[in-house]
Amino acid sequence: MQKVYARVIIDISHEKVDRPFCYKIPCHLLEQVKIGDCVEVPFGKGNILRKGYVIELMETPDFDPDLIKEIESVKTGIQVENKLIKLAYWIREEYGSTMIQALQTVLPVKQKVKQKENRILLRKCTKEEAALQAEFCEKKHQPAKARLLKALVENEEIPYPLLTGKLHISASTINSLKKAGLVEEINELAYRNPLKEQEMVKERKILSPSQQRIVDSIWSEYENNVRKTYLIHGITGSGKTEVYMALIEKVVSQGKAVIMLIPEIALTFQTVMRFQRRFGERVSILNSTLSLGEKYDQCERAKKGEIDIIIGPRSALFTPFENIGLILIDEEHENTYKSESMPKYHAREVAEELARLHGAAVVLGSATPSMESYYKAMTGEYGFFTLKERLTGGTLPKVYIEDLREELKKGNRSIFSDRLQELIQDRLNKKEQIMLFLNRRGYSGFISCRSCGYVMKCPHCDVSLSKHANGKLVCHYCGYEQPAVTNCPKCNSKYMLGFKAGTEKIEEEFCKRFGEVSILRMDRDTTKTKDSYEEILSDFMEEKAQVLIGTQMIVKGHDFPKVTLVGILAADLSLGVGDYRAGERTFQLLTQAAGRAGRGELPGEVVIQSYQPEHYSIQKAAAQDYESFYQEELMYRRLGGYPPVSDMLMVQIFEKEEQKGILLGNKMKEHLKEYAMKNRMLIIGPANASVGKINDVYRSCLILKHKDKNILKRAKTCLEQFLSTCGIEGKIVQFDFNPMNSF
Ligand code: ADP
Ligand code: ZN
Ligand code: ZN
């Protein structure tokens, strides 16, 4: 029987239409309509033409055939892949959202722009000449020119978007080099250099025995049609990327596509060029500096088979490749792989489902694997490999743990322990670089009354206001601003004192103690513009400053060979945030921060200051001992019934009126009561969220726990039905499985 009916989802972002509607396919369109097609259909009483997506074709209708309307037309040119629609279905079922939200997550941005030319800057002189010129420009204090020339020593050609986006080279800099005849601008479309192939081959490293073993094992399973997920545990610099590239090469040679996820912050110029040198124009990059139109172009190129490899953040998963052979996730433990808006999906899990749909393998890599992945590796669900040695040389740094309580007893009231002060002075004398890391976001400066303890809070959010350098009080959640106060609004005392924002305060203290030193500071305030993050890092790289003070941002990505001292000022601040991942996150951050010292020729030292130096996250990070951290953390997760041992679903409630959230939470709990009893599912709450109010919206939550995720998924579906019969909108209740952050 011919399939003459179609289930169509209407492209309106409203829950009421979050179900497929059945349409008849008219004869003249029968040949044309396929799953994933965008069609125009008459909708509602007025039969207004709406756009929709075909998600299923059927022989018989699920609706009275006499009342069924016909599809009006098929929109050509906006074909979406069948597999992506299937994936959207899965995401919707797995994480809870409307089908429309799920589709919007996976479908390429439908925005066609004029094809942009792929401009490329080409080196017109020899490597040696470029290096010489770079040195010359450095002496003349022309850092941008020097930076560009140095990049050109390594790379004969550099695409324009990278020049402006990642290297911060202005048009005038490029022009002056053009005038000097050192570079030339060309159009990629018109340009094919036969030499390029050879250069690309030269890039290949001979793999070490342990690298080769990983590639061989994965590849032999791949060739035997075994498809699974592998985890590579290896410290930074142990050669993971080289393993990825060897695998990519093999998969691509079989005509399959590869998706490689990298946290955007780690997608540095060096990484991008490394891949482009190896894979040439068959690789493309997605990042937030691309416009919607440019992103769409990348999707088009992927669909047409013009590229085989895409590198980007979690959304790169949805690149519409026809046939994917391998999905790689580097730094798989990163928080940014989890979406913070509906559907709240985790890239690792979606990657595994996508791999299933395509028959692809998944490779995860990290120096500090997530508890989830390591657990699966240990239980044998994932293939598991380790890389132990750093290939770039450099020895592991010496780590000291300093007890801040003892410092206080000794009478040291500064934020630098005696040992840290001593080592800072030593590095300042030796003219070596120092990184100081504050283990929390930059906005801890709050204002309180020293007399009655009153804290200045945002009137719209349940958080304290921060004092900025310009004197204003600012809310970091909603942007509310007010002038500073002189008297306490509660007791009218004059002692309203501010604690400066963390990193700013450290800078001030540092200058007081060590005098005039060139310092760069990196936090939310100094990195407001898109490029400032990389600018600060490249300034530090060029040794324009001896000290870099910052928050988590400074521990990711770049390598600084001249850094020989890393100070972690208050290691336990991230332990106090009260969610079950705090210990894991602290361990990851400290391990990464400590790993910043001693990357080059010079040996490094690390000072970890803490009020709870005995905490296992701190002890194990200092010892760089992942395995025993994992064992302790797992014990704690087991006791608390947390992932990866047990799954958890956080039902988040957003209400404009304070009482309504808890009320709704109780209703949902009541609704699930029987189900929970039957399945021995634990329900905790409802309770106020840790940030009880943001932007005048009250937040509360309900937590469900069970060892079997399917029990939780069914509970979620059950709640979705309940909410829709109550007429409660999707915006009010959101679902978050195994949340990454405290709510
Ligand atoms: P990771 O991804 O684990 O940080 P990389 O693959 O980037 O490690 O390797 C770290 C450094 O070692 C890079 O500079 C890389 O070029 C080099 N390297 C990696 N594998 C080899 C190898 N087999 N032989 C020589 N150098 C290598
Ligand atoms: Zn007061
Ligand atoms: Zn606010």
Side-chain angles (χ1 to χ4, degrees):
M1 236 168 105
Q2 206 174 3
K3 296 187 172 176
V4 293
Y5 296 96
R7 277 213 176 99
V8 174
I9 273 211
I10 310 294
D11 186 16
I12 320 166
S13 201
H14 193 282
E15 287 65 36
K16 291 263 162 54
V17 292
D18 181 27
R19 62 185 178 91
F21 289 88
C22 194
Y23 284 89
K24 192 171 192 308
I25 308 171
C27 287
H28 70 281
L29 292 180
L30 266 179
E31 294 289 295
Q32 228 180 316
V33 174
K34 284 183 203 64
I35 288 179
D37 275 356
C38 184
V39 291
E40 261 190 331
V41 291
F43 187 75
K45 287 209 183 78
N47 279 333
I48 300 161
L49 286 184
R50 298 269 200 204
K51 239 173 34 185
Y53 296 101
V54 177
I55 58 168
E56 206 176 330
L57 298 175
M58 299 170 301
E59 292 162 4
T60 48
D62 52 7
F63 195 66
D64 182 354
D66 294 336
L67 296 176
I68 285 184
K69 299 170 190 175
E70 286 194 348
I71 288 176
E72 178 75 20
S73 66
V74 180
K75 296 215 148 212
T76 47
I78 324 173
Q79 286 273 347
V80 281
E81 306 304 323
N82 167 353
K83 281 173 189 153
L84 282 179
I85 298 239
K86 282 192 189 152
L87 188 65
Y89 239 160
W90 182 86
I91 286 177
R92 180 236 146 86
E93 293 297 305
E94 190 74 13
Y95 300 100
S97 70
T98 66
M99 187 60 194
I100 298 299
Q101 282 170 325
L103 285 169
Q104 283 167 343
T105 303
V106 307
L107 296 180
V109 188
K110 298 175 295 294
Q111 202 174 63
K112 188 83 183 147
V113 288
K114 216 177 87 212
Q115 177 89 35
K116 238 192 177 173
E117 278 181 302
N118 284 322
R119 290 194 299 164
I120 278 181
L121 199 68
L122 188 70
R123 161 156 59 78
K124 289 286 285 176
C125 56
T126 61
K127 261 186 191 194
E128 292 71 28
E129 162 111 50
L132 213 67
Q133 290 285 344
E135 225 173 276
F136 185 63
C137 291
E138 230 161 33
K139 287 207 187 95
K140 288 206 298 183
H141 298 288
Q142 298 172 325
K145 266 194 203 173
R147 198 157 63 232
L148 175 52
L149 283 161
K150 270 194 217 156
L152 283 163
V153 173
E154 286 284 309
N155 312 288
E156 197 187 339
E157 52 185 69
I158 302 174
Y160 252 74
L162 279 181
L163 285 177
T164 44
K166 294 249 165 215
L167 274 178
H168 316 291
I169 307 294
S170 66
S172 69
T173 304
I174 296 170
N175 278 334
S176 78
L177 291 188
K178 271 191 211 160
K179 271 195 202 129
L182 292 169
V183 297
E184 182 188 29
E185 184 184 320
I186 50 157
N187 188 328
E188 190 197 34
L189 298 174
Y191 171 77
R192 292 284 181 277
N193 184 354
L195 279 179
K196 238 166 52 180
E197 293 289 326
Q198 282 177 16
E199 248 200 343
M200 275 155 56
V201 176
K202 262 195 272 167
E203 272 300 306
R204 197 177 292 120
K205 300 252 180 343
I206 295 165
L207 296 182
S208 72
S210 41
Q211 285 172 320
Q212 192 64 49
R213 197 175 50 84
I214 299 176
V215 174
D216 290 347
S217 319
I218 295 178
W219 191 245
S220 81
E221 294 205 309
Y222 192 93
E223 284 200 305
N224 287 318
N225 284 318
V226 177
R227 293 292 185 272
K228 60 182 190 196
T229 304
Y230 304 87
L231 172 66
I232 304 176
H233 178 205
I235 56 170
T236 314
S238 61
K240 295 185 295 297
T241 308
E242 211 63 38
V243 170
Y244 303 153
M245 293 204 288
L247 288 169
I248 291 172
E249 200 157 51
K250 287 182 182 293
V251 171
V252 168
S253 75
Q254 294 205 336
K256 302 256 179 108
V258 176
I259 293 173
M260 167 137 177
L261 304 189
I262 293 187
E264 173 131 20
I265 211 159
L267 198 54
T268 57
F269 176 76
Q270 281 85 354
T271 316
V272 173
M273 286 319 290
R274 195 167 161 193
F275 277 87
Q276 294 212 325
R277 281 203 302 275
R278 178 89 172 241
F279 299 105
E281 59 238 21
R282 303 296 295 176
V283 57
S284 184
I285 314 288
L286 281 180
N287 62 40
S288 61
T289 61
L290 296 183
S291 69
L292 286 182
E294 285 169 319
K295 280 183 188 155
Y296 182 76
D297 281 353
Q298 302 306 315
C299 288
E300 284 295 286
R301 289 179 68 202
K303 238 193 261 184
K304 284 192 217 138
E306 290 174 11
I307 51 174
D308 306 314
I309 307 154
I310 193 101
I311 303 176
R314 62 166 191 261
S315 59
L317 276 179
F318 310 120
T319 309
F321 284 120
E322 201 151 304
N323 205 342
I324 299 167
L326 175 67
I327 304 171
L328 297 146
I329 306 182
D330 193 29
E331 316 259 9
E332 64 88 27
H333 63 276
E334 277 291 326
N335 271 6
T336 50
Y337 286 128
K338 174 91 184 267
S339 164
E340 288 295 320
S341 59
M342 295 278 273
K344 299 187 180 183
Y345 70 92
H346 197 296
R348 194 193 314 122
E349 295 159 355
V350 174
E352 292 189 296
E353 176 61 15
L354 183 64
R356 212 181 52 75
L357 288 170
H358 282 261
V362 178
V363 174
L364 314 172
S366 173
T368 50
S370 62
M371 288 300 291
E372 278 88 343
S373 296
Y374 206 76
Y375 185 73
K376 287 185 173 159
M378 292 302 109
T379 54
E381 190 179 336
Y382 288 175
F384 181 61
F385 304 99
T386 48
L387 283 172
K388 294 223 161 74
E389 272 124 66
R390 218 180 238 181
L391 292 164
T392 34
T395 44
L396 282 179
K398 179 158 179 43
V399 183
Y400 304 93
I401 301 180
E402 297 299 310
D403 188 340
L404 289 174
R405 295 167 305 193
E406 292 297 318
E407 294 292 313
L408 210 61
K409 272 191 214 150
K410 278 194 292 189
N412 176 8
R413 295 181 171 277
S414 95
I415 44 181
F416 306 107
S417 61
D418 285 349
R419 180 173 321 259
L420 185 56
Q421 289 187 32
E422 196 182 295
L423 292 177
I424 288 174
Q425 196 54 58
D426 175 66
R427 298 311 193 274
L428 292 177
N429 296 342
K430 286 186 189 153
K431 300 255 179 294
E432 291 169 8
Q433 283 186 306
I434 302 167
M435 277 169 106
L436 295 176
F437 166 58
L438 185 71
N439 191 8
R440 70 172 144 187
R441 301 193 175 114
Y443 48 83
S444 47
F446 60 99
I447 310 290
S448 70
C449 171
R450 289 291 159 86
S451 172
C452 78
Y454 180 84
V455 176
M456 292 296 295
K457 282 196 164 184
C458 172
H460 308 289
C461 307
D462 189 18
V463 293
S464 52
L465 293 169
S466 303
K467 183 166 184 154
H468 271 225
N470 64 11
K472 284 205 175 119
L473 304 183
V474 180
C475 170
H476 282 283
Y477 279 84
C478 73
Y480 169 85
E481 250 189 43
Q482 70 167 61
V485 291
T486 47
N487 290 59
C488 172
K490 198 172 157 206
C491 76
N492 207 31
S493 91
K494 282 185 297 203
Y495 304 102
M496 287 303 283
L497 295 177
F499 291 92
K500 281 228 168 108
T503 44
E504 239 179 297
K505 165 97 175 162
I506 293 162
E507 183 176 7
E508 196 179 284
E509 285 260 326
F510 192 97
C511 293
K512 248 195 247 157
R513 209 157 280 270
F514 301 102
E516 279 299 297
V517 180
S518 52
I519 296 177
L520 283 164
R521 184 161 61 85
M522 174 138 74
D523 53 35
R524 282 230 328 215
D525 293 332
T526 59
T527 52
K528 283 235 169 70
T529 63
K530 218 194 268 175
D531 296 334
S532 42
Y533 167 75
E534 292 213 32
E535 226 161 293
I536 293 171
L537 290 180
S538 61
D539 282 354
F540 191 57
M541 181 82 89
E542 287 165 20
E543 294 178 66
K544 286 188 188 158
Q546 207 177 346
V547 183
L548 176 62
I549 299 173
T551 54
Q552 2 276 73
M553 295 174 184
I554 67 173
V555 303
K556 316 228 154 127
H558 293 240
D559 240 354
F560 303 104
K562 291 277 166 62
V563 171
T564 58
L565 176 63
V566 170
I568 297 158
L569 294 164
D572 30 47
L573 284 178
S574 61
L575 285 174
V577 296
D579 69 311
Y580 69 95
R581 290 187 195 269
E584 180 179 8
R585 196 154 40 237
T586 301
F587 176 82
Q588 288 164 350
L589 278 171
L590 296 187
T591 308
Q592 280 175 356
R596 295 282 118 196
R599 282 296 176 81
E601 310 270 291
L602 304 163
E605 286 176 301
V606 177
V607 179
I608 299 179
Q609 304 189 148
S610 170
Y611 288 100
Q612 331 170 36
E614 62 286 345
H615 193 284
Y616 64 93
S617 289
I618 293 171
Q619 290 290 335
K620 305 301 180 195
Q624 304 264 322
D625 185 354
Y626 179 86
E627 174 61 29
S628 68
F629 163 77
Y630 168 78
Q631 295 301 348
E632 285 222 24
E633 181 68 18
L634 190 66
M635 208 157 65
Y636 155 72
R637 300 280 176 101
R638 204 166 259 142
L639 284 174
Y642 290 118
V645 186
S646 184
D647 277 296
M648 108 188 220
L649 167 60
M650 186 189 268
V651 184
Q652 303 170 335
I653 307 162
F654 301 82
E655 279 281 14
K656 282 252 153 79
E657 284 165 56
E658 194 164 5
Q659 298 308 322
K660 265 179 130 178
I662 298 289
L663 219 62
L664 178 58
N666 275 319
K667 269 197 219 159
M668 287 194 277
K669 188 175 185 172
E670 185 59 33
H671 184 75
L672 285 177
K673 206 167 161 188
E674 214 169 293
Y675 178 83
M677 265 197 334
K678 211 175 80 203
N679 294 291
R680 298 164 149 265
M681 181 182 76
L682 194 61
I683 307 183
I684 303 162
N688 289 329
S690 60
V691 181
K693 182 174 78 165
I694 291 179
N695 242 334
D696 291 320
V697 174
Y698 290 89
R699 297 144 52 90
S700 45
C701 64
L702 201 60
I703 289 170
L704 317 182
K705 279 188 189 176
H706 202 282
K707 268 187 185 298
D708 180 358
K709 196 173 183 187
N710 289 313
I711 300 278
L712 297 180
K713 271 160 54 183
R714 279 207 293 278
K716 179 217 74 192
T717 309
C718 183
L719 283 180
E720 280 178 327
Q721 278 158 4
F722 171 68
L723 293 168
S724 103
T725 52
C726 298
I728 289 167
E729 276 180 74
K731 267 193 302 197
I732 290 174
V733 176
Q734 299 190 358
F735 298 98
D736 195 350
F737 280 93
N738 301 337
M740 297 304 269
N741 297 307
S742 58
F743 173 62

